[in-house]
Amino acid sequence: MGSFFDGSEAGPPYAGNPRMSGRGQGAAGSPPFLGLQTSSFTDFLASHSPGLLPGRIMPGAPADPEPGAPSQTVRNLPHATTIVAAICDGGVVLAGDRRATAGNVIAKRDVEKVFRSDEFSGMGYAGTGSVGIEFVRLFQVELEHYEKMEGRSLSLEGKANRLAWMVRGNLGAAMQGLIVVPLFVGYDEDTDQGRIFSYDVAGGPYEEQRFYSIGSGSLFARGALKKLYLDDMSPADAALACVQALYDAADDDSATGGPDLPRRIFPVIATITADGFRKLPESEAAQIAEQVVRERLARPDGPSAALRNS
């Protein structure tokens, strides 16, 4: 399995290869539960309790009002919005706003959408909040389970491929409106660089260069990063650029929340470098957000990109 997810072996995982399938028989007389030896926790869970996997539609769910249209119940579920990422010198920065919406209503103001996946990777998500949280937790267990079974961790590309299979498994639920799209980032120990992977509802992944954003405010955030991003930015400068981009997204997208100074709610910011995953303490995130808000009082549209005359 490791070779497949790392990209060194072609073909679907587990197919036609008993060693890769992990479905070898246990000792004689052992319970079937103990007979399944696989480094994929998702595969293990699917063989015993598939209903616990993300995106499973429960029997008796409200019918769609028309073919292909999500029900009103699904539309009213809380949805997470904008996530941004930027490659920096020696790693990558991941940041997300805190707002969740249900239709045209703010469902929650302090949602966390940025999470640690393992020591050298992290992810954020946009879409249906409850399914997104399940994806995050299952992916964390998936990576930990693989490391314990194989005695080593997957490569960064292998982790991205593993997440792609999980996203593809949610396709049926996505067609009914329970859409979740992750943004996966990490530090590549082989190249000493940060990398960014995006996904569509059918899986992916697609490696992005320099910076990327997902969610309802992604177009505005990416537009801001086009003007603010510089190659080889320090992690601190990249974090500031990401918060500036989130502010611009909140300025034009009602589903994206900007820094909420009265409630002390600020974007979640994480850096992944050779030192591992580090979520910025709230005090540091507050300093960055307050700097952005303070500068916007004098320049509401944000900093201007430096131009050179030929």
Side-chain angles (χ1 to χ4, degrees):
M1 179 188 298
S3 60
F4 171 79
F5 290 123
D6 284 341
S8 60
E9 179 170 320
Y14 326 129
N17 188 337
R19 293 184 60 194
M20 301 287 287
S21 70
R23 295 185 182 277
Q25 296 298 320
S30 64
F33 185 81
L34 300 177
L36 180 63
Q37 301 297 321
T38 173
S39 53
S40 170
F41 182 79
T42 305
D43 188 42
F44 175 79
L45 187 61
S47 68
H48 291 285
S49 302
L52 297 179
L53 291 172
R56 297 289 175 170
I57 304 299
M58 297 301 293
D64 293 345
E66 57 185 66
S71 68
Q72 186 63 40
T73 302
V74 170
R75 285 196 296 265
N76 287 338
L77 289 173
H79 283 67
T81 50
T82 310
I83 306 292
V84 297
I87 294 174
C88 61
D89 184 22
V92 62
V93 172
L94 181 66
D97 81 307
R98 305 291 296 277
R99 178 174 293 177
T101 58
N104 63 337
V105 177
I106 298 175
K108 197 168 178 59
R109 302 178 188 274
D110 59 352
V111 173
E112 293 204 16
K113 313 168 192 176
V114 172
F115 300 89
R116 177 186 186 274
S117 297
D118 67 0
E119 184 179 2
F120 293 108
S121 66
M123 66 179 289
Y125 72 90
T128 308
S130 56
V131 181
I133 292 295
E134 286 185 329
F135 262 104
V136 168
R137 292 172 177 169
L138 182 58
F139 188 54
Q140 290 170 338
V141 175
E142 178 78 11
L143 297 183
E144 184 177 352
H145 181 81
Y146 181 94
E147 187 169 351
K148 289 181 177 179
M149 295 293 290
E150 298 291 334
R152 64 180 181 89
S153 62
L154 276 167
S155 69
L156 188 62
E157 188 171 342
K159 297 171 190 176
N161 290 338
R162 177 66 262 184
L163 183 57
W165 277 93
M166 293 173 58
V167 173
R168 189 170 303 135
N170 188 57
L171 182 58
M175 298 298 290
Q176 300 186 47
L178 297 175
I179 298 173
V180 173
V181 179
L183 186 62
F184 177 67
V185 304
Y187 169 78
D188 193 330
E189 298 177 82
D190 295 330
T191 62
D192 191 30
Q193 293 179 339
R195 299 173 70 182
I196 302 172
F197 297 89
S198 67
Y199 300 81
D200 55 29
V201 295
Y206 311 102
E207 183 166 4
E208 308 295 345
Q209 305 299 320
R210 305 178 78 209
F211 58 84
Y212 200 70
S213 179
I214 61 171
S216 61
S218 60
L219 293 178
F220 308 111
R222 258 178 278 167
L225 285 171
K226 284 181 180 179
K227 310 302 181 186
L228 299 174
Y229 184 84
L230 298 173
D231 291 325
D232 299 322
M233 297 177 79
S234 67
D237 288 343
L240 178 59
C242 286
V243 175
Q244 291 278 13
L246 288 174
Y247 193 104
D248 282 333
D251 199 29
D252 289 298
D253 174 45
S254 61
T256 303
D260 192 336
L261 300 186
R263 296 184 177 88
R264 309 299 295 171
I265 299 174
F266 307 105
V268 177
I269 310 168
T271 62
I272 303 102
T273 64
D275 295 327
F277 181 97
R278 176 178 180 262
K279 177 182 174 183
L280 269 62
E282 187 171 331
S283 59
E284 292 186 31
Q287 289 180 358
I288 297 173
E290 288 170 349
Q291 176 184 343
V292 170
V293 172
R294 185 168 57 251
E295 293 174 353
R296 294 289 176 130
L297 293 176
R299 190 185 291 270
D301 292 331
S304 301
L307 297 177
R308 296 182 180 178
N309 294 323
S310 58

